[in-house]
Amino acid sequence: MESNGNVVKQGMEDDPDLQFLLSGTELTKVRSGSWKKTRFYKLQEDCKTMWHESKKTLRSRQTFSVDDIEAVRSGRKTEGLKKYTDETQELRAFSILFKGRRKNLDLVASSEEEAKHWVSGLEKIISNVSNLCQQLKTEHWIFNCLRNADINCDNKMSPEELKSFLHDINIDVEDNYVKMLFEKCDKANSGYLEGEEIKLFYEILTQREEIDVIYGEYAKTDGLLSATNLLEFLVKEQREQVDLAYAVQLIEKYEVDKTAKAKQMMTKDGFLMYLRQPKGLIMNPAHKSVYQDMKQPLNHYFISSSHNTYLMEDQLKGPSSTEAYIRALMKSCRCVELDIYDGSDGEPVIYHGYTLTSKILFKDAISAIKEYAFKTSEYPVILSLENHCSVEQQKLMAHHLTSILGSALLTKPLGESMPSEFPSPEDLKGRILIKGKRLNKLEASFYDQSAEEEEESVTEEEDCCDEEEEREKPQEPKKLKLAKELSDIVIYCKSVGFHGFEHARNSQAFYEMSSFKEGDAMKLAEKSANECIRHNVDKLSRVYPSPFRTDSSNFDPMPLWNAGCQIVALNFQTPGRDMDLNQGLFRQNGLCGYVLKPAYLRDRGSEFDPITLTRGPWLKQKDFHVMVISAQQLPKVSQKAYSIVDPLVRVEIHGVPADIAQKETRHIQNNGFNPMWNENFQFDLYVPDLALVRFVVEDYDSVSNNDFIGQCTVPFTSLQNGYRHVRLFNKSGDLLSSAALFVHLMAADAE
């Protein structure tokens, strides 16, 4: 097979960084103070696979895909490099961070120049791969499978290699089918495929029958789609309000045949290209940028929030890491948690108290937050402090916050007079807010009122909502003094105990907020949902997982969002359905980490109750039809050579209790490459504003639980009608490079 690396190289053919990576160099791999070994690393010709040589005889050649890389960081940024290398290696060190829970690859180059080549080259390749259109990603993926199947590397394909290839791409077929397919493509009767024969095989393999049917129905101009034909498809099937000029633009942009394009015609290949672009995907492209009003008070938004942000795994013995903060922030998390304790050498440390989790320096976490807070979203970040430190180390905390964060740290209310409500996310762009205890009222910021260190509980939760009291720990004083320096930088998020809705209405200022453990919050959301909603019109509420979730598992956030709770903190380090819902909600509005609550969750007089569903503006009953048509390039669940998936699709509705539903297709045996279902489902939705639609693909197992393959969760209000591709995400929330569903959606007002 001839190399397909030029697909990824596009625009980089003469790039010195790329040429450097293709040549390769020796790098020092660092695992510990005593384990530092030289390995030869290089980028393979496909420009998507990294190869390195190990001295272990049984693992002499190892590879990993560029698709597996989360990020490349220059310098001694990871805990490993900080601990096991010295400052003189700062400019030669870099790290490759992987998606999921795979360990970082910490490396040291022989020179600063070589390190720059590696970091710059890898970043360029990652960018090029992520920017490939879906069609090219599919072609590139299939090419790599073809290349792997070419066992003797003669650029030809034998019948045995053909069957091996089909297994690699997740299809199990009868020998008779392989023989028939081979004979159909072997035009020269040579006993192997090469050149144009392999191209014919590829065309047969990637033929989409469902696309043929749709295209054939509308291609009424000499077998092609004219602009008028395309407009008819867009209006009738996709329910888009567009004109002929828009159809012409699509042809100009996506048609691959120059002759057809010159005649303002669209071929089937161009039509498929359009359907695989953002405009043809399930989510409204307009919602992929910030489209909501960002000038409402801060508490009128759902805020993407993390619990125990410092943990990479469980909360009993898992590692703490600054990388966990970076990953959460890069996923647009806007509220992160810091559990701070006195460090033995005078420096405050972060870890899960009274457990075996590892520790990181508070100042290192703040430095990481400073660097990455606004990389993916410019809207404000809240630091939720769970403070267990002595006064002296609290003063050092305040010093680190002010000196490291600088002007980004909010140290006084905005404006010249005492506000009566929160500023907006727009007002707070680029600012970092501290959530914690405060010794006096916020009003003291506007006049000279000195606050002395007082006997004050400095843990975040109080009374029935005290997270720390439920954790096994040595006896310690219940009261600790609070340093004025730390108190003074708590502005709009002063932590107070919750003593009932009436007390909150009568006694709490707007900037005083309570935290609730999940059990208490769920009871309030179930029994007093409307009071919760009205409370959250004026105040901020934070909900955190039960301390008994020692495995860092999560809870269902939907009932709490339905009750207007803004800061529903989840364990970002733990993948699963609950994090899928969080990712789905915050996929909209430009991934900025803020989603404006519906008007009836921002109205002090709201009568909305998600449990009883009395009549009101929230009732917008929809008749929602979903046709699950097909899937493409589903990944294997098991890497065993002859393991093929038996996929099924489940469509789930998450929202108010009346809307919760799920329906499932049959499973397709032994086909993860191009399974087809053509199954129709119908759902009745009552409060579509709060609904999330989750598509889940699983590998059916008749004797045990099904295995997860991929999923995609989208707000109902962000869905596009018509024929749409659904890009799938893996268990860790990362996009699968080629896998997709093909569906038809239609939502209409119920009669």
Side-chain angles (χ1 to χ4, degrees):
M1 318 299 137
E2 293 182 7
S3 174
N4 199 20
N6 61 319
V7 173
V8 183
K9 289 180 190 175
Q10 199 164 14
M12 292 181 61
E13 290 81 1
D14 299 320
D15 187 276
D17 293 327
L18 176 63
Q19 298 306 318
F20 181 85
L21 265 60
L22 289 170
S23 299
T25 62
E26 287 190 339
L27 296 168
T28 301
K29 182 178 178 179
V30 179
R31 281 188 180 171
S32 68
S34 59
W35 201 104
K36 299 177 182 178
K37 299 188 178 180
T38 301
R39 298 284 184 263
F40 185 82
Y41 288 82
K42 67 172 291 188
L43 181 69
Q44 293 192 329
E45 285 298 320
D46 67 354
C47 292
K48 278 194 69 177
T49 309
M50 286 294 301
W51 177 91
H52 64 106
E53 188 175 30
S54 171
K55 299 300 181 186
K56 291 184 180 180
T57 56
L58 295 178
R59 298 174 63 194
S60 60
R61 290 185 172 188
Q62 300 180 55
T63 64
F64 59 85
S65 171
V66 172
D67 282 329
D68 296 334
I69 299 175
E70 174 86 21
V72 184
R73 307 212 199 288
S74 59
R76 297 162 60 246
K77 294 287 181 17
T78 64
E79 276 76 32
L81 285 175
K82 287 176 183 175
K83 188 174 182 180
Y84 304 125
T85 62
D86 57 50
E87 292 181 1
T88 62
Q89 296 171 297
E90 176 72 33
L91 298 178
R92 295 190 287 121
F94 66 97
S95 299
I96 297 174
L97 289 89
F98 296 98
K99 298 171 182 175
R101 290 188 173 180
R102 183 172 174 176
K103 289 182 180 179
N104 304 338
L105 183 56
D106 291 331
L107 301 164
V108 179
S110 60
S111 69
E112 179 184 347
E113 183 181 5
E114 283 193 2
K116 285 181 178 178
H117 275 308
W118 274 106
V119 173
S120 178
L122 284 172
E123 286 178 341
K124 289 173 185 175
I125 288 292
I126 292 167
S127 176
N128 268 25
V129 169
S130 65
N131 289 331
L132 285 179
C133 73
Q134 188 60 26
Q135 180 72 21
L136 289 178
K137 283 185 179 179
T138 298
E139 290 178 4
H140 195 68
W141 176 73
I142 290 174
F143 161 77
N144 284 333
C145 292
L146 281 167
R147 188 169 54 83
N148 291 336
D150 184 15
I151 298 167
N152 57 6
C153 301
D154 61 357
N155 289 329
K156 299 175 183 178
M157 181 167 281
S158 68
E160 293 75 22
E161 289 173 333
L162 176 62
K163 186 159 187 180
S164 171
F165 164 74
L166 291 172
H167 274 284
D168 285 346
I169 65 171
N170 222 349
I171 306 178
D172 187 25
V173 293
E174 299 290 337
D175 288 345
N176 287 339
Y177 178 77
V178 175
K179 182 180 179 183
M180 179 272 291
L181 188 60
F182 189 90
E183 290 175 351
K184 185 174 182 178
C185 297
D186 184 13
K187 301 295 186 183
N189 295 317
S190 60
Y192 52 80
L193 306 183
E194 63 178 332
E196 289 298 314
E197 294 171 336
I198 291 177
K199 183 179 178 183
L200 174 61
F201 167 68
Y202 169 81
E203 289 172 353
I204 293 172
L205 186 70
T206 56
Q207 183 176 1
R208 297 272 301 272
E209 292 180 20
E210 69 275 35
I211 300 298
D212 292 350
V213 171
I214 300 164
Y215 182 79
E217 186 176 344
Y218 288 91
K220 301 172 182 176
T221 309
D222 298 327
L224 297 175
L225 272 179
S226 67
T228 303
N229 299 152
L230 179 58
L231 178 61
E232 182 186 4
F233 169 79
L234 295 171
V235 173
K236 184 177 177 181
E237 298 290 353
Q238 311 296 75
R239 299 298 173 97
E240 296 183 20
Q241 297 179 338
V242 293
D243 57 16
L244 189 62
Y246 179 78
V248 171
Q249 287 175 8
L250 290 183
I251 293 172
E252 185 64 31
K253 188 169 186 179
Y254 298 120
E255 179 49 52
V256 292
D257 185 287
K258 292 181 180 179
T259 304
K261 183 188 291 188
K263 297 177 180 178
Q264 293 189 347
M265 296 284 193
M266 182 174 269
T267 62
K268 187 171 61 180
D269 288 340
F271 183 63
L272 179 57
M273 185 73 77
Y274 149 69
L275 286 174
R276 301 181 92 164
Q277 298 301 317
K279 291 180 185 298
L281 299 182
I282 191 172
M283 187 166 175
N284 185 341
H287 290 193
K288 292 184 178 180
S289 56
V290 175
Y291 72 97
Q292 295 179 334
D293 177 7
M294 301 303 289
K295 296 182 179 179
Q296 297 291 318
L298 189 75
N299 63 316
H300 285 190
Y301 298 82
F302 297 122
I303 303 171
S304 181
S305 307
S306 163
H307 174 250
N308 288 348
T309 314
Y310 48 90
L311 290 179
M312 298 291 283
E313 296 176 16
D314 68 78
Q315 57 190 51
L316 286 182
K317 58 186 186 324
S320 304
S321 173
T322 55
E323 181 58 32
Y325 285 100
I326 295 170
R327 291 191 178 197
L329 292 167
M330 292 300 284
K331 290 186 175 181
S332 298
C333 179
R334 298 292 87 187
C335 179
V336 298
E337 184 183 31
L338 303 91
D339 281 0
I340 315 112
Y341 292 81
D342 280 355
S344 57
D345 61 354
E347 280 286 349
V349 294
I350 294 175
Y351 78 113
H352 201 58
Y354 315 106
T355 67
L356 299 177
T357 58
S358 62
K359 301 174 182 179
I360 56 175
L361 292 176
F362 175 77
K363 64 180 180 181
D364 287 347
I366 299 304
S367 294
I369 290 168
K370 163 70 173 177
E371 184 173 354
Y372 289 93
F374 305 109
K375 294 273 189 186
T376 58
S377 171
E378 57 189 343
Y379 290 100
V381 170
I382 301 169
L383 307 188
S384 181
L385 304 186
E386 184 81 28
N387 172 16
H388 308 273
C389 291
S390 62
V391 169
E392 286 308 308
Q393 293 207 16
Q394 287 178 46
K395 289 179 179 178
L396 193 51
M397 283 168 56
H399 169 73
H400 290 324
L401 287 165
T402 53
S403 62
I404 294 172
L405 299 179
S407 59
L409 179 67
L410 193 73
T411 56
K412 62 180 181 179
L414 301 181
E416 301 300 321
S417 59
M418 180 61 200
S420 58
E421 65 177 13
F422 288 96
S424 70
E426 188 72 26
D427 295 330
L428 292 167
K429 271 185 179 178
R431 306 305 294 273
I432 295 175
L433 286 65
I434 304 300
K435 173 188 173 298
K437 293 289 183 179
R438 187 180 168 94
L439 292 170
N440 52 14
K441 295 284 188 181
L442 185 60
E443 288 81 349
S445 303
F446 291 93
Y447 52 87
D448 185 17
Q449 176 183 327
S450 109
E452 299 298 326
E453 292 161 6
E454 295 180 3
E455 292 282 318
E456 174 70 47
S457 168
V458 297
T459 57
E460 175 193 322
E461 292 84 15
E462 296 183 347
D463 304 329
C464 66
C465 300
D466 193 338
E467 180 176 0
E468 295 306 314
E469 284 183 6
E470 297 192 33
R471 203 181 287 164
E472 288 292 330
K473 60 178 182 179
Q475 290 298 313
E476 64 176 350
K478 287 190 176 180
K479 299 289 183 180
L480 293 171
K481 287 185 176 180
L482 179 59
K484 179 181 183 298
E485 293 86 345
L486 192 58
S487 166
D488 285 351
I489 56 177
V490 174
I491 306 302
Y492 291 116
C493 301
K494 177 183 177 181
S495 297
V496 299
F498 180 74
H499 305 292
F501 292 118
E502 184 176 357
H503 177 271
R505 275 194 305 273
N506 298 332
S507 305
Q508 277 182 224
F510 77 90
Y511 55 82
E512 293 179 317
M513 63 176 291
S514 300
S515 288
F516 305 83
K517 63 175 175 283
E518 64 174 273
D520 294 333
M522 289 291 189
K523 288 176 186 175
L524 291 172
E526 182 178 345
K527 297 179 180 179
S528 308
N530 184 253
E531 282 195 281
C532 274
I533 289 165
R534 294 187 180 197
H535 173 82
N536 289 317
V537 171
D538 294 314
K539 313 287 192 302
L540 276 170
S541 293
R542 177 178 180 268
V543 182
Y544 60 92
S546 163
F548 296 115
R549 291 183 180 271
T550 55
D551 58 352
S552 292
S553 59
N554 282 307
F555 56 90
D556 183 359
M558 288 302 309
L560 304 166
W561 289 330
N562 293 341
C565 296
Q566 302 90 346
I567 302 177
V568 180
L570 298 180
N571 290 304
F572 270 50
Q573 70 273 26
T574 307
R577 182 204 64 180
D578 305 312
M579 270 306 298
D580 293 343
L581 297 179
N582 191 82
Q583 183 184 35
L585 176 67
F586 292 103
R587 279 184 72 194
Q588 63 181 312
N589 209 31
L591 288 170
C592 76
Y594 286 83
V595 170
L596 184 64
K597 297 195 285 186
Y600 46 84
L601 294 183
R602 297 182 273 125
D603 177 8
R604 289 185 179 88
S606 177
E607 297 294 330
F608 175 64
D609 187 316
I611 310 297
T612 61
L613 278 191
T614 55
R615 287 199 170 274
W618 44 85
L619 280 179
K620 306 171 185 174
Q621 193 171 352
K622 297 286 184 182
D623 190 14
F624 182 42
H625 290 265
V626 179
M627 183 181 186
V628 178
I629 303 172
S630 62
Q632 299 80 44
Q633 288 89 58
L634 299 176
K636 288 187 176 186
V637 173
S638 169
Q639 293 307 309
K640 293 178 181 177
Y642 287 92
S643 173
I644 307 294
V645 300
D646 303 325
L648 61 81
V649 179
R650 186 170 59 254
V651 183
E652 303 172 352
I653 308 294
H654 298 264
V656 300
D659 288 344
I660 296 173
Q662 64 178 43
K663 297 185 180 180
E664 194 170 275
T665 69
R666 70 192 187 283
H667 70 275
I668 304 292
Q669 287 192 330
N670 294 329
N671 188 349
F673 183 72
N674 56 0
M676 193 172 295
W677 293 275
N678 288 320
E679 293 194 35
N680 288 285
F681 303 128
Q682 187 269 333
F683 300 92
D684 295 316
L685 272 66
Y686 295 90
V687 187
D689 291 341
L690 294 174
L692 298 174
V693 182
R694 183 171 182 249
F695 296 87
V696 189
V697 186
E698 292 180 342
D699 180 14
Y700 173 76
D701 194 317
S702 60
V703 296
S704 63
N705 292 333
N706 295 344
D707 290 317
F708 176 89
I709 294 176
Q711 70 83 35
C712 178
T713 305
V714 183
F716 179 83
T717 53
S718 295
L719 293 174
Q720 296 199 97
N721 281 322
Y723 290 102
R724 303 292 175 183
H725 280 99
V726 183
R727 302 292 307 282
L728 296 176
F729 296 82
N730 66 16
K731 187 175 286 188
S732 299
D734 299 310
L735 195 64
L736 291 166
S737 62
S738 300
L741 292 175
F742 188 56
V743 300
H744 185 272
L745 307 178
M746 193 55 62
D749 293 335
E751 295 181 359

